[in-house]
């Protein structure tokens, strides 16, 4: 039996990713194709996070968590380059939380 904490966490993070990119798009102009593809990839990750949590799909949850871990590692380089300590700490916290939650699958 999968813990309900996993479902709640995936829903919160999925919604947070979508909200983050909506706010980002309103505040900033996208300058590179890398950012466009990154936003698309993170949006797909958020959709899979939400769908897997809502449907409680035992097959999709590990995929969604793997995608989220990859996205967290990938985007952390941008924030390290920008010296945005708050975002780096939040991403590290997210990775640690995901690794802990993986033990409850």
């Amino acid at each position: 039996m999968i813990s309900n904490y996993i479902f709640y966490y995936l829903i919160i993070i999925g919604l947070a990713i979508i909200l983050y990119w909506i706010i980002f798009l309103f505040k900033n102009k996208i300058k590179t194709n890398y950012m466009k593809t990154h936003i698309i990839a993170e949006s797909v990750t958020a959709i899979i996070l939400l769908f897997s949590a809502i449907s409680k799909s035992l097959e999709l949850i590990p995929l969604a968590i793997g995608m989220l871990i990859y996205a967290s590692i990938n985007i952390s380089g941008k924030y390290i380059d920008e010296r945005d300590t708050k975002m780096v700490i939040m991403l590290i916290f997210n990775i640690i939380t995901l690794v802990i939650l993986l033990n409850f699958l």
Side-chain angles (χ1 to χ4, degrees), residues 15 20 31 67 78 94:
L15 292 173
Y20 175 82
K31 299 174 185 170
M67 290 175 72
K78 173 185 180 290
N94 183 47

Side-chain angles (χ1 to χ4, degrees), residues 2-87:
I2 295 180
S3 172
N4 284 334
Y5 294 120
I6 293 174
F7 302 128
Y8 300 142
Y9 192 76
L10 297 183
I11 290 171
I12 290 168
I13 296 299
L15 292 173
I17 289 171
I18 292 170
L19 183 64
Y20 175 82
W21 286 115
I22 289 171
I23 292 169
F24 179 87
L25 291 172
F26 278 118
K27 287 185 176 182
N28 301 296
K29 182 178 178 183
I30 301 175
K31 299 174 185 170
T32 63
N33 283 334
Y34 168 76
M35 281 305 292
K36 290 177 187 175
T37 57
H38 183 76
I39 292 170
I40 291 168
E42 285 209 13
S43 298
V44 170
T45 300
I47 290 166
I48 292 176
L49 285 167
L50 292 171
F51 182 75
S52 66
I54 292 168
S55 68
K56 298 185 179 186
S57 171
L58 299 178
E59 293 80 20
L60 280 181
I61 289 174
L63 173 69
I65 291 174
M67 290 175 72
L68 184 56
I69 289 171
Y70 175 78
S72 298
I73 292 169
N74 187 14
I75 198 65
S76 65
K78 173 185 180 290
Y79 293 114
I80 290 170
D81 288 343
E82 294 175 356
R83 301 191 190 286
D84 188 345
T85 309
K86 287 185 268 183
M87 282 300 289

